[in-house]
């Protein structure tokens, strides 16, 4: 799987949009970008995933650059409950479907 | 989204005993389940991949005789930590992959089991 690079930590004011970047410059053409988050002492929670096009769901939006070498997860109106470690993971569609977790970004929402 | 449960949520045991952790997919069938381990202040590390009806595939460095995995049905996988020792104390998390969805099959994670070996 392609390696991803994320900033170790970020702060965001409550109610503002949180924009979490991820670099995946070695991504292959058929690999998906997945985002998970882990709130303290819980299992990771699936957020969103995409291949080429931007995606949006009830939790977040995913913006993938045209060259697919980076992406941004957007939490439109951050709340205190969004404080967590956010992981950006690149995964092949078939065969080896293991998820390799990096160190992620620790997002802290400030009241 | 899909729901994955784990039982127990936490367990304390004496050194040398065996501990079984269950992972269930509640509203979907999971042909593949994964077991992870997470030590304090570290990221998740994959231990093994469990396929229904076949032997699990273990990651390098994970002892298959110590961490027994059984995936007897499409909704249940178990991890047994045999002869547990204090260094096995960790947060064990399973995930289940939805069999539907083609190339976009997503893994959903359980809430985790915290094991403390005294």
């Amino acid at each position: 799987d392609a390696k991803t690079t994320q900033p170790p930590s970020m702060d965001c004011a409550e109610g503002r949009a949180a924009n979490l970047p991820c670099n995946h410059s070695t991504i292959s053409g058929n690999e998906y970008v997945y985002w998970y988050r882990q709130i303290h002492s819980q299992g990771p929670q699936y957020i969103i995933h995409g291949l080429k096009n931007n995606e949006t769901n009830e939790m977040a939006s995913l913006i993938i650059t045209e060259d697919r070498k980076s992406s941004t997860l957007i939490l439109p109106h951050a709340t205190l409950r969004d404080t967590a470690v956010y992981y950006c993971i690149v995964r092949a569609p078939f065969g080896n479907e293991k998820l390799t977790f990096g160190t992620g970004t620790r997002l802290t929402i400030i009241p | 989204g899909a729901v994955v449960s784990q039982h127990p949520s936490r367990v304390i045991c004496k050194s040398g005993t065996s501990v079984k952790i269950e992972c269930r997919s509640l509203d979907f069938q999971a042909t593949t389940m994964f077991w992870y381990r997470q030590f304090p202040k570290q990221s998740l590390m994959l231990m093994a991949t469990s396929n229904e009806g076949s032997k699990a595939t273990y990651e390098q460095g994970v002892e298959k005789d110590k961490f027994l995995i059984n995936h007897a049905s499409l909704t249940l996988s178990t991890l047994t930590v045999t002869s547990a020792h204090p260094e096995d104390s960790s947060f064990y998390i399973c995930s289940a992959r939805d069999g539907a969805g083609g190339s976009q099959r997503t893994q959903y994670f359980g809430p985790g089991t915290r094991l403390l070996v005294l």
Side-chain angles (χ1 to χ4, degrees), chain A residues 36-46 59 80-85 87 101 106, chain B residues 4 6 9-10 36-39 42-44 91-94 108-114:
Chain A
Y36 286 83
R37 71 181 182 184
Q38 186 177 26
I39 296 170
H40 183 61
S41 296
Q42 298 182 25
Q45 177 188 22
Y46 165 76
M59 289 184 68
L80 298 179
R81 287 179 293 181
D82 292 322
T83 292
V85 178
Y87 295 100
F101 284 80
R106 181 172 297 279
Chain B
V4 177
Q6 279 185 244
S9 58
R10 60 178 60 202
Y36 295 79
R37 180 168 54 182
Q38 185 175 32
F39 292 106
Q42 295 185 22
S43 191
L44 282 77
F91 192 46
Y92 291 86
I93 309 168
C94 73
Y108 297 96
F109 286 80
T113 296
R114 191 161 301 281

Side-chain angles (χ1 to χ4, degrees), chain A residues 32 34 36 38 41-46 49 87 91-95 97-103, chain B residues 34 36 38 42-44 46 49 59 91 93 97 102-112 114:
Chain A
Y32 286 83
Y34 277 77
Y36 286 83
Q38 186 177 26
S41 296
Q42 298 182 25
Q45 177 188 22
Y46 165 76
H49 74 279
Y87 295 100
R91 183 187 73 79
F94 292 111
E97 296 185 39
K98 297 187 293 186
L99 296 179
T100 301
F101 284 80
T103 53
Chain B
F34 304 83
Y36 295 79
Q38 185 175 32
Q42 295 185 22
S43 191
L44 282 77
L46 179 67
T49 302
E59 294 299 300
F91 192 46
I93 309 168
R97 190 199 70 197
S103 63
Q104 301 188 50
R105 294 174 292 188
T106 296
Q107 285 186 37
Y108 297 96
F109 286 80
R114 191 161 301 281

Side-chain angles (χ1 to χ4, degrees), chain B residues 31-110:
Chain B
T31 55
T32 304
M33 290 183 171
F34 304 83
W35 287 95
Y36 295 79
R37 180 168 54 182
Q38 185 175 32
F39 292 106
K41 300 188 185 301
Q42 295 185 22
S43 191
L44 282 77
M45 294 296 295
L46 179 67
M47 299 175 67
T49 302
S50 165
N51 291 298
E52 186 265 338
S54 63
K55 291 183 178 180
T57 302
Y58 291 80
E59 294 299 300
Q60 190 172 9
V62 178
E63 300 176 55
K64 63 180 182 180
D65 294 330
K66 182 171 182 61
F67 299 99
L68 301 179
I69 292 173
N70 183 282
H71 192 161
S73 78
L74 288 173
T75 59
L76 173 64
S77 176
T78 60
L79 168 68
T80 301
V81 183
T82 62
S83 186
H85 288 97
E87 58 266 29
D88 298 321
S89 298
S90 187
F91 192 46
Y92 291 86
I93 309 168
C94 73
S95 71
R97 190 199 70 197
D98 189 341
S103 63
Q104 301 188 50
R105 294 174 292 188
T106 296
Q107 285 186 37
Y108 297 96
F109 286 80

